[in-house]
Amino acid sequence: MAKLEGLHDLFLEQLKDMYDSEKQIIKALPKMIKEAENAQLKRALEEHLEETRGHVERLERVFESVESKARGQHCPGMEGIIDEGKELLEKDAEPAVRDAGIIASAQRVEHYEMAAYGTLIAYAKDMGHREATTLLQQTLKEEEAADRKLTEISRSVNTDAMQPVGAH
Ligand SMILES: [Fe+2]
């Protein structure tokens, strides 16, 4: 593996990591959508799947803007988060409880992405890559909005998921 000589190399490394992460999310979301019971949750996840396809395209434009070829590098961090979500889906659960679990997994994914995009934006800004900065900021905004939406949906899902008093 080539030596990371400077911030630009690290920037590319992390871009590759996110390129792979977004693709992993595209593969994982359909199962979560299928298992979700709450209509609002299903829709929010469907919309986010569409957005995520856009994130992949945007990353390709970021690579292009710094004259680099779009390439992925396996991201074990995202794989772990997705695997935990999958495990939860395999458990026997009341539909509302499963929905609450889907939200928990999806928000972990979102926060991982928000952290990664935050770093990428800081690097892009520091290195004066204006186009890359703008593109990455657009995606970060969408991740943040998706996260907020999930919090909103969780309010009714969590209420539905609570066991009735005395049912323990
Ligand atoms: Fe994304």
Side-chain angles (χ1 to χ4, degrees):
M1 209 186 281
K3 183 177 173 188
L4 302 174
E5 300 279 359
L7 197 63
H8 182 73
D9 294 341
L10 190 59
F11 178 69
L12 288 180
E13 280 285 305
Q14 305 210 349
L15 269 183
K16 287 177 197 164
D17 186 276
M18 276 320 279
Y19 192 59
D20 177 77
S21 292
E22 295 284 17
K23 287 186 171 179
Q24 287 190 45
I25 296 165
I26 289 173
K27 278 196 201 138
L29 272 172
K31 178 137 198 282
M32 291 165 85
I33 292 167
K34 197 173 149 243
E35 298 285 334
E37 171 97 354
N38 181 288
Q40 256 191 307
L41 176 59
K42 233 182 216 305
R43 234 185 91 179
L45 295 173
E46 275 164 2
E47 281 170 12
H48 198 57
L49 176 57
E50 250 345 281
E51 271 179 350
T52 304
R53 293 199 175 104
H55 297 173
V56 169
E57 277 167 37
R58 232 180 243 139
L59 283 172
E60 286 164 1
R61 286 162 64 197
V62 173
F63 276 112
E64 216 175 287
S65 77
V66 294
E67 275 134 42
S68 193
K69 216 171 74 191
R71 253 199 308 143
Q73 183 168 280
H74 182 64
C75 173
M78 183 57 80
E79 187 183 24
I81 295 173
I82 288 173
D83 278 350
E84 279 193 81
K86 277 189 199 153
E87 270 173 37
L88 210 108
L89 285 179
E90 277 156 24
K91 290 196 171 137
D92 184 26
E94 282 295 323
V97 177
R98 167 162 302 134
D99 281 355
I102 290 172
I103 292 173
S105 311
Q107 286 194 297
R108 284 187 190 202
V109 168
E110 286 315 311
H111 281 253
Y112 186 96
E113 288 192 287
M114 279 150 58
Y117 280 113
T119 301
L120 284 167
I121 290 164
Y123 291 174
K125 263 191 198 161
D126 289 343
M127 291 185 295
H129 295 320
R130 295 171 93 182
E131 196 187 341
T133 303
T134 308
L135 289 164
L136 294 164
Q137 278 171 336
Q138 285 168 349
T139 296
L140 177 60
K141 268 195 198 140
E142 289 177 2
E143 309 290 16
E144 286 169 344
D147 179 58
R148 276 197 301 272
K149 185 87 201 238
L150 288 167
T151 299
E152 207 182 290
I153 297 168
S154 78
R155 297 212 176 97
S156 58
V157 167
N158 292 353
T159 306
D160 292 343
M162 275 185 237
Q163 285 178 307
V165 178
H168 294 272

